[in-house]
Amino acid sequence: MKVSFVGLGVMGFPMAGHLVKAGFEVSVFNRTQTKADLWAQTYQGIAASSLQECVADADVVLLCVGNDDDVRSMTTSQTGALQYMKSGAILVDHTTTSALLAEELSKACSEVEVRFMDAPVSGGQAGAENGVLTIMCGGEQDLFDELQPVFNAYGKSSVLMGVVGQGQRAKMVNQICIAGVLNGLSEGLILAEKSGLDISTLVDCLKNGAAGSWQMENRAVTMSQDKFDFGFAIDWMIKDLGFCLDEAQRQGIQLPLTEKSVQAYKELSLEGLGRMDTSVLMKAVEKESKL
């Protein structure tokens, strides 16, 4: 199986590398050619000089870029991958996008006899580097089954959530839960610090109980140390939570905590913290906590 990977950011770079380690023949494309060349040197793969070169012979094309417009540019534009992919090939979008874009891509793929699956991932940069991502998929069961050797290269878990678009909706729920956990964790840490509790000891005490979470285990100590330069930037979280609010509107519901979190992240971004990790939400919670 020939696999192409488009987009070599902090997630895509190691994900494509795991495919090489798993024995796939891998070609990559990145809009910054030097990044593709570095990847090829690191993993002994193929750095294509154009998108057409990268995807033309591929059985599977994997995409992990920034936002909806980036996805369209790389897929359905006049110079996008769908112009060059062979009939019967598979396009998998690992980008976190709107569910509507996933449905749009599925339709565009069917028109050129390409199969499609939306498959956003969770686990952050560390999960990508360690090959233990969670992959939330939308599409057909037989296609999901066919893609298991690919997903197993960089994923710890892949789950078929339903038809196209349901992978993206599952990712929305994931992001809502992260924001909610960080709100509660921030308030808890503020009280703990004011009360004189040792944070490392507190985390060791709580992490295996009902309050335990990935955020507690991986971010609580660094949050208490005022360190936020990790992984997933809040500018991307603002984008993701925006999809959540749009979907909620389509479903006729409100998400008050999510709305509050988006506003807090936007204010933090305006303060110059847009590239900080999502756990920097604690700074907004601290402001609110002061009497």
Side-chain angles (χ1 to χ4, degrees):
M1 183 183 292
K2 293 182 179 180
V3 180
S4 295
F5 205 106
V6 178
L8 299 175
V10 296
M11 303 292 287
F13 195 100
M15 289 168 71
H18 284 298
L19 288 165
V20 174
K21 295 175 183 177
F24 291 101
E25 180 181 337
V26 183
S27 175
V28 300
F29 174 77
N30 196 70
R31 283 175 289 191
T32 304
Q33 184 65 38
T34 54
K35 194 70 173 288
D37 292 338
L38 175 61
W39 180 89
Q41 293 170 11
T42 304
Y43 294 108
Q44 287 74 56
I46 303 166
S49 58
S50 68
L51 184 58
Q52 179 177 1
E53 178 189 341
C54 183
V55 307
D57 294 325
D59 300 302
V60 180
V61 175
L62 306 166
L63 184 72
C64 191
V65 291
N67 55 39
D68 284 26
D69 288 340
D70 293 328
V71 172
R72 290 188 180 98
S73 174
M74 291 292 105
T75 57
T76 58
S77 70
Q78 291 184 344
T79 57
L82 292 184
Q83 301 292 325
Y84 312 116
M85 290 175 66
K86 64 186 182 182
S87 176
I90 302 167
L91 175 65
V92 178
D93 187 17
H94 284 310
T95 314
T96 297
T97 73
S98 65
L100 294 181
L101 177 61
E103 293 164 357
E104 175 188 320
L105 280 178
S106 180
K107 182 179 179 181
C109 284
S110 67
E111 292 173 353
V112 293
E113 298 182 335
V114 168
R115 294 176 288 167
F116 174 75
M117 176 162 284
D118 61 299
V121 298
S122 181
Q125 182 176 347
E129 291 173 349
N130 294 318
V132 292
L133 293 169
T134 294
I135 309 168
M136 294 155 267
C137 304
E140 298 297 328
Q141 181 70 55
D142 59 346
L143 181 56
F144 176 76
D145 294 340
E146 188 174 342
L147 286 166
Q148 284 307 294
V150 175
F151 292 159
N152 288 339
Y154 45 76
K156 182 179 181 180
S157 169
S158 59
V159 180
L160 183 62
M161 302 304 304
V163 298
V164 166
Q166 294 298 75
Q168 295 296 348
R169 293 184 178 96
K171 181 61 183 289
M172 293 174 198
V173 176
N174 184 82
Q175 302 304 74
I176 290 169
C177 292
I178 289 173
V181 168
L182 285 171
N183 273 286
L185 183 58
S186 295
E187 287 194 358
L189 289 174
I190 291 166
L191 178 60
E193 290 172 350
K194 291 295 184 181
S195 303
L197 288 167
D198 179 77
I199 301 302
S200 295
T201 303
L202 179 68
V203 170
D204 286 340
C205 176
L206 300 182
K207 67 182 182 182
N208 295 316
S213 68
W214 187 96
Q215 300 295 334
M216 177 178 286
E217 287 201 55
N218 293 276
R219 293 291 181 262
V221 173
T222 53
M223 288 165 70
S224 70
Q225 296 170 340
D226 202 39
K227 296 178 180 178
F228 305 103
D229 191 10
F230 304 99
F232 192 72
I234 65 172
D235 281 345
W236 294 119
M237 190 62 152
I238 292 168
K239 177 206 69 158
D240 290 0
L241 293 179
F243 295 142
C244 302
L245 296 179
D246 290 343
E247 183 68 21
Q249 187 175 37
R250 282 190 289 273
Q251 300 298 336
I253 60 173
Q254 289 186 314
L255 303 174
L257 182 57
T258 303
E259 291 175 2
K260 178 182 177 182
S261 298
V262 170
Q263 187 57 41
Y265 279 130
K266 286 181 177 178
E267 292 173 3
L268 290 167
S269 183
L270 289 173
E271 294 173 13
L273 300 175
R275 302 308 301 170
M276 294 294 100
D277 181 80
T278 50
S279 62
V280 78
L281 184 64
M282 185 173 180
K283 287 190 174 292
V285 177
E286 281 177 328
K287 289 181 181 179
E288 285 192 274
S289 69
K290 294 178 180 177
L291 298 175

